Amino acid sequence: MTANTLVSSKLVCVALNDKSQLAALEGTFNEAPYKKPPTQPVLYYKPRNTWNVDGAEVEWAKDFDGNDAPAMAVGASLGVVIGQETCRVSQAEALEYVRGYTIVCDFSLPEESYFRPDIKGKCLDTSAPVGPEIVPADTIDNPDALTVTVFVNGERKNVFPLANMQRSVAELISKISWIMTLQPGEVIAVGFAGERVPVAKGDRVEATIEGVGTLTNTLGGA
Amino acid sequence: MTANTLVSSKLVCVALNDKSQLAALEGTFNEAPYKKPPTQPVLYYKPRNTWNVDGAEVEWAKDFDGNDAPAMAVGASLGVVIGQETCRVSQAEALEYVRGYTIVCDFSLPEESYFRPDIKGKCLDTSAPVGPEIVPADTIDNPDALTVTVFVNGERKNVFPLANMQRSVAELISKISWIMTLQPGEVIAVGFAGERVPVAKGDRVEATIEGVGTLTNTLGGA
């Protein structure tokens, strides 16, 4: 396992929290089998074998025959680090439970369909770098005003202002704390741009948030 | 958090591993959006806030308004406890990576549809008791020959012979080890009867496997 991960015990990610992605999917949501858009946050976990650190290599995915996967993609999110036990808190008090902020990258297989809960594509070893550090909560005035930018080999590929999130940081902490109790050191990746960035073997990926830092990782397999 | 849980770092559950459930769903699988039955194990996680122990109370679920959920259900599974790092092992060697066996109960909200990845219904605090102990792997000749029985208030409600699993214990360990690296102390709940058992507040639930033990828990909220 990767040493010195910043995550303790749980890394929860929020899917479908980009307003423009939700708007694009609106027609699909009303078809079978769902018949309506999601009414609560859509969550997934990045389990312990995925946790990784700033500066480390992210392994290239393999298929069931041991061959290299044909494609991978990356998204980046603000990471909210929980500071104390958080159980059924209101939106108004939610930010008081935050110890600090960091960056979470989510490397995965490209998603074929948002219908299929793609555990296999999301739980790749070393696919969730978190870092480079945890900046204290009181250094960030308004987390919803931050912008996440992803560079691949120095080229800007994606810009996601968190103002475009369907649910704010405080609303998510509150909602999730009603679904499951959160513990100190657990991390929530609050939202990714709907469009993931394709990556290739050997690519250098930097995810940057002003005031939080830059998380840099390189894809293996080259 | 519950102290002394038998689980270390990860509890992975296998869904849809009951042959009769798969047969019953066969027509549905061929409809949109999937168009075919799953080709790989369907997995979900019970995160750390769910981990619980033999003899402890399982909290009754609450909705987003803080009211008690109208219904809950339980399933029980053989729990396979990993003994050493397990990465891309063959089916033939998979059982060598097992430290021992235990029982996993999965309390949840009733599932409305197998399509929706029901994170909210599956991650309830204290909803995954594991125990009562880990029996050494060499005391079980053939894990696929075991039978899981669930009693509610002393009445037998469900009997699931693991011979009815679509995938064997060895096949699952192998397949999952290609999806993610497993670490010592991690637990795989290899399969539940397709039909979950409805439970009510205050019910006493016992899950029994001969040679492995009896896991007993009581529902809260009464």
Side-chain angles (χ1 to χ4, degrees), chain A residues 117-157:
Chain A
D118 191 10
I119 292 282
K120 181 165 77 73
K122 287 294 188 194
C123 69
L124 305 166
D125 289 349
T126 72
S127 66
V130 178
E133 59 175 335
I134 300 169
V135 303
D138 61 11
T139 64
I140 303 291
D141 275 347
N142 176 10
D144 300 307
L146 299 171
T147 292
V148 185
T149 307
V150 176
F151 298 84
V152 177
N153 300 327
E155 193 179 331
R156 192 172 65 185
K157 292 291 189 181

Side-chain angles (χ1 to χ4, degrees), chain A residues 1 9-10 34 40 43 45 47-49 62 64 88 115-116 119 123 125 178-181 183, chain B residues 1 9-10 34 40 43 45 47-49 62 64 66 88 116 119 123 125 178-181 183:
Chain A
M1 306 304 284
S9 94
K10 196 188 295 159
Y34 293 130
Q40 296 296 338
L43 308 178
Y45 305 104
R48 185 171 293 255
N49 58 293
K62 287 189 189 298
F64 283 104
R88 297 177 189 143
F115 281 111
R116 199 177 280 273
I119 292 282
C123 69
D125 289 349
W178 280 84
I179 296 175
M180 61 180 113
T181 299
Q183 296 293 335
Chain B
M1 304 307 283
S9 96
K10 195 188 294 157
Y34 293 127
Q40 294 296 338
L43 308 178
Y45 304 105
R48 187 172 290 258
N49 58 293
K62 288 187 188 299
F64 283 105
R88 299 177 189 144
R116 198 178 279 275
I119 292 283
C123 69
D125 288 350
W178 280 84
I179 296 175
M180 60 181 114
T181 299
Q183 294 294 334

Side-chain angles (χ1 to χ4, degrees), chain B residues 199-210:
Chain B
V199 289
K201 292 176 184 176
D203 277 353
R204 191 180 79 256
V205 174
E206 292 163 286
T208 295
I209 301 175
E210 197 180 330

Side-chain angles (χ1 to χ4, degrees), chain B residues 150-157 197-206 216-219:
Chain B
V150 176
F151 297 85
V152 178
N153 301 325
E155 194 178 330
R156 191 171 65 185
K157 293 291 190 182
V197 177
V199 289
K201 292 176 184 176
D203 277 353
R204 191 180 79 256
V205 174
E206 292 163 286
T216 306
N217 296 89
T218 305
L219 270 296

Side-chain angles (χ1 to χ4, degrees), chain A residues 8-72:
Chain A
S8 166
S9 94
K10 196 188 295 159
L11 172 53
V12 188
C13 302
V14 181
L16 297 173
N17 199 26
D18 174 347
K19 278 180 192 167
S20 57
Q21 182 188 20
L22 289 167
L25 286 170
E26 198 175 356
T28 322
F29 283 135
N30 295 317
E31 294 169 7
Y34 293 130
K35 310 271 177 70
K36 60 180 183 183
T39 56
Q40 296 296 338
V42 178
L43 308 178
Y44 62 96
Y45 305 104
K46 296 286 287 191
R48 185 171 293 255
N49 58 293
T50 69
W51 302 349
N52 204 345
V53 298
D54 180 48
E57 183 176 292
V58 171
E59 292 174 39
W60 192 264
K62 287 189 189 298
D63 66 18
F64 283 104
D65 298 317
N67 299 317
D68 286 352
M72 290 181 69

